[in-house]
Amino acid sequence: MNPCTALDAALGDLLQQIADHLGAPVPAPLRAALHAAPRHLFLPPLLWLRDGNGGYEPCDRAQDPERWWHAAYRDAPLVTQFTELPDGDLIPSSSASMPSMVIRMLRALEARPGQRVLEIGTGTGFNAALLSHLYGSENVTSVDIDPDLIHRAERALRTSGHRPSVRCADGAEGWPPAAPYDAIIATCAVRTVPRPWLDQTATGGRIVTPWDTAWCNYGTLIATKQPDGTAEGFLAPYGSFMLIRSQQVDIELHRDVLRPGQTPERSTTRLSPWSVAGNDLNAQAYVGLSVPGVWHSWDTEPDGPGPGTGAHTRLWLADDQATSWASVDYDGHRTTTFAVSQYGPRNLWDEVTRAHAQYVSAGRPTLDRLRLHIHPEGPATRHEVRLATA
Ligand SMILES: C[S@@+](CC[C@H](N)C(=O)[O-])C[C@H]1O[C@@H](n2cnc3c(N)ncnc32)[C@H](O)[C@@H]1O
């Protein structure tokens, strides 16, 4: 197949996959943008694909060009960079987002050609190219905190014929020289909206950003800047992105939270740990917004340090101050009663139980029924969450 035909076929296939995910055809301007920014031009030779077991496997263009090309035009996120943590663990630190997610977020932006847009998280440059096609390169600024990514993205953008302004900076500061913006779109998640984003968005402009809580990484904030300097928005039920580097918290359960000699309070609960940390993402998001700074992790071999032994599966809870923790144990048999241990100034399981009871009494609202009101507060912002009337 000649290269043009191969690209047309791959793009046609990708557009169909995106339409299947969205349940609707890709709107014409976004289809044209995808043609003007062929995704493979933005991808590095080495990609990391999900291995189906919670890990990643390499996909090297030099060794397996067909598999690499197929990956480039699948509707899936592709990890393009790992970073080593001080303890030696590797975590994904940049990726090319899933194309259908990119399209959803661009639709949510509702900007018009000629409007000024700031992207936080340049990554590969793919989204910056789409934005450039939609709004004009001269109206697009994109920042990433990683200089290597910026250099690569700049080259790819030139190759694809786009020239947005690409800067290496901490996106939590926005990019004041080109402000105000009609839209700010982030492709890394935040737990609070950075104050500069609020200040640098023009009245009536949009902020679209993946949302994160310590409990749950899910949802996309779509907010509109109000004349009084606040923003009003809601959480769309999609999106799971890596957290912006400036809001990352480096706390580990076994290193920082659990200590010898801690004596937890013991009790039992009838609330299944899977109700708050299982497949119900709406419940997870509600708990995360209600109990900020509290995170959880599952332990399927809970025989290490901690409360008692003999549990089959344990849900751990801890707070961002590393002062309180709790655990909820499933013994492998009883699904109506679970053993609880709580330690520290906060009774974390009690807090989560109350949040879940509110979620149930509110009629188990889907994420998009939660309204966020974002206020400037000193150098930061604060958000209030309300339930929209049905
Ligand atoms: C999902 S990737 C971006 C995908 C990108 N938009 C694309 O089209 O390829 C998230 C990016 O956010 C960047 N990032 C994380 N923290 C940041 C910060 N504080 N300021 C700017 N960029 C940041 C990461 O370096 C990473 O490249």
Side-chain angles (χ1 to χ4, degrees):
M1 224 192 288
N2 81 42
C4 274
T5 324
L7 180 57
D8 283 344
L11 275 167
D13 192 29
L14 177 63
L15 283 164
Q16 187 55 53
Q17 294 173 57
I18 298 175
D20 291 346
H21 266 131
L22 301 183
V26 177
L30 292 168
R31 258 198 333 261
L34 286 170
H35 278 275
R39 194 176 186 226
H40 70 278
L41 293 182
F42 297 89
L43 300 177
L46 183 61
L47 301 171
W48 295 88
L49 312 183
R50 289 248 178 230
D51 66 4
N53 296 313
Y56 295 91
E57 58 189 16
C59 173
D60 188 341
R61 186 173 59 193
Q63 283 172 16
D64 197 343
E66 255 182 60
R67 185 162 170 253
W68 187 93
W69 177 264
H70 181 71
Y73 286 97
R74 252 186 55 215
D75 187 23
L78 298 166
V79 171
T80 53
Q81 186 194 58
F82 281 91
T83 296
E84 191 171 348
L85 295 177
D87 61 6
D89 278 358
L90 291 174
I91 53 154
S93 51
S94 192
S95 63
S97 314
M98 184 173 179
S100 55
M101 190 61 62
V102 173
I103 296 298
R104 278 183 205 272
M105 292 177 70
L106 290 174
R107 277 200 321 200
L109 212 53
E110 282 185 0
R112 291 183 299 281
Q115 291 195 315
R116 292 147 303 167
V117 180
L118 172 65
E119 181 193 30
I120 315 292
T122 312
T124 63
F126 174 58
N127 197 37
L130 298 174
L131 289 166
S132 301
H133 180 82
L134 291 166
Y135 306 115
S137 288
E138 67 284 9
N139 295 311
V140 176
T141 305
S142 179
V143 300
D144 201 290
I145 201 158
D146 185 317
D148 294 342
L149 294 174
I150 285 290
H151 291 138
R152 242 204 125 264
E154 269 181 325
R155 278 201 307 275
L157 282 158
R158 270 201 302 275
T159 307
S160 73
H162 300 97
R163 290 190 173 269
S165 167
V166 178
R167 306 286 175 168
C168 184
D170 181 356
E173 300 300 327
W175 182 254
Y181 302 99
D182 299 297
I184 294 186
I185 179 170
T187 54
C188 43
V190 293
R191 290 186 178 173
T192 58
V193 173
R195 170 80 197 254
W197 297 7
L198 201 54
D199 295 344
Q200 292 171 29
T201 304
T203 300
R206 273 276 155 96
I207 297 173
V208 174
T209 179
W211 194 254
D212 185 80
T213 62
W215 191 263
C216 164
N217 177 255
Y218 175 55
T220 298
L221 173 71
I222 301 173
T224 305
K225 173 86 177 275
Q226 304 299 309
D228 65 0
T230 65
E232 292 276 359
F234 69 99
L235 291 171
Y238 55 76
S240 178
F241 281 67
M242 52 189 69
L243 187 58
I244 192 167
R245 292 198 200 170
S246 30
Q247 294 185 9
Q248 285 172 5
V249 181
D250 180 23
I251 294 182
E252 275 187 26
L253 187 71
H254 291 278
R255 187 191 66 197
D256 306 311
V257 186
L258 299 175
R259 301 252 176 258
Q262 292 172 329
T263 311
E265 273 177 32
R266 295 178 194 276
S267 57
T268 58
T269 182
R270 300 178 75 80
L271 178 64
S272 158
W274 283 277
S275 300
V276 290
N279 292 333
D280 184 351
L281 286 179
N282 291 312
Q284 287 217 35
Y286 194 100
V287 168
L289 286 162
S290 309
V291 191
V294 178
W295 46 273
H296 72 271
S297 65
W298 286 101
D299 191 347
T300 50
E301 292 172 357
D303 274 336
T309 52
H312 175 280
T313 302
R314 174 173 294 154
L315 180 71
W316 286 106
L317 293 76
D319 70 340
D320 272 350
Q321 275 69 48
T323 54
S324 301
W325 59 262
S327 65
V328 186
D329 286 357
Y330 166 57
D331 64 9
H333 306 288
R334 278 179 305 172
T335 53
T336 49
T337 313
F338 305 87
V340 176
S341 298
Q342 302 190 86
Y343 177 83
R346 292 175 67 182
N347 286 335
L348 298 181
W349 181 249
D350 295 351
E351 290 185 29
V352 165
T353 302
R354 276 195 295 275
H356 186 263
Q358 279 170 9
Y359 168 70
V360 172
S361 68
R364 299 178 185 268
T366 50
L367 194 57
D368 51 357
R369 285 193 51 213
L370 303 180
R371 297 283 174 269
L372 266 70
H373 186 62
I374 299 142
H375 308 259
E377 192 168 76
T381 66
R382 178 172 59 82
H383 50 266
E384 279 163 21
V385 186
R386 287 191 312 270
L387 193 60
T389 43

